[in-house]
Amino acid sequence: MSRKIRDLTFPNGETHKVEELDFEVVSEPWTEYKLSDGTSLKMKIVALKAFRVLYPDGKPAYNAEGDPFVIMRHNVQISASE
């Protein structure tokens, strides 16, 4: 499998090389909240893309705690009912 490398612009305007990672959904559960007015809210996060940030030499980057520097592109789905 070939690596999918691209440039990604961060919110601060800096551009970094990232590797797009394939993933499989294991679980995307809904979390339910009951509001004081009786409304029920259901929410879940849905992952769209995963990126591993790379150092300029192409090796995987790590954050200050030593964990892999991974970025998830996602959206939040919300359902409300009375």
Side-chain angles (χ1 to χ4, degrees), residues 30-46:
W30 288 91
T31 302
E32 189 169 354
Y33 303 89
K34 190 69 143 183
L35 304 181
S36 60
D37 68 356
T39 302
S40 289
L41 284 182
K42 291 182 179 180
M43 296 177 28
K44 73 175 176 174
I45 296 175
V46 177

Side-chain angles (χ1 to χ4, degrees), residues 5-68:
I5 308 295
R6 59 178 276 204
D7 290 327
L8 186 68
T9 302
F10 285 54
N12 65 2
E14 292 180 3
T15 300
H16 296 274
K17 294 277 187 207
V18 296
E19 177 181 6
E20 186 173 339
L21 303 172
D22 293 326
F23 63 91
E24 82 175 72
V25 177
V26 176
S27 176
E28 285 182 343
W30 288 91
T31 302
E32 189 169 354
Y33 303 89
K34 190 69 143 183
L35 304 181
S36 60
D37 68 356
T39 302
S40 289
L41 284 182
K42 291 182 179 180
M43 296 177 28
K44 73 175 176 174
I45 296 175
V46 177
L48 304 173
K49 291 191 178 258
F51 301 99
R52 176 72 189 261
V53 179
L54 305 173
Y55 288 123
D57 65 2
K59 293 181 182 176
Y62 294 86
N63 66 19
E65 290 79 33
D67 298 319

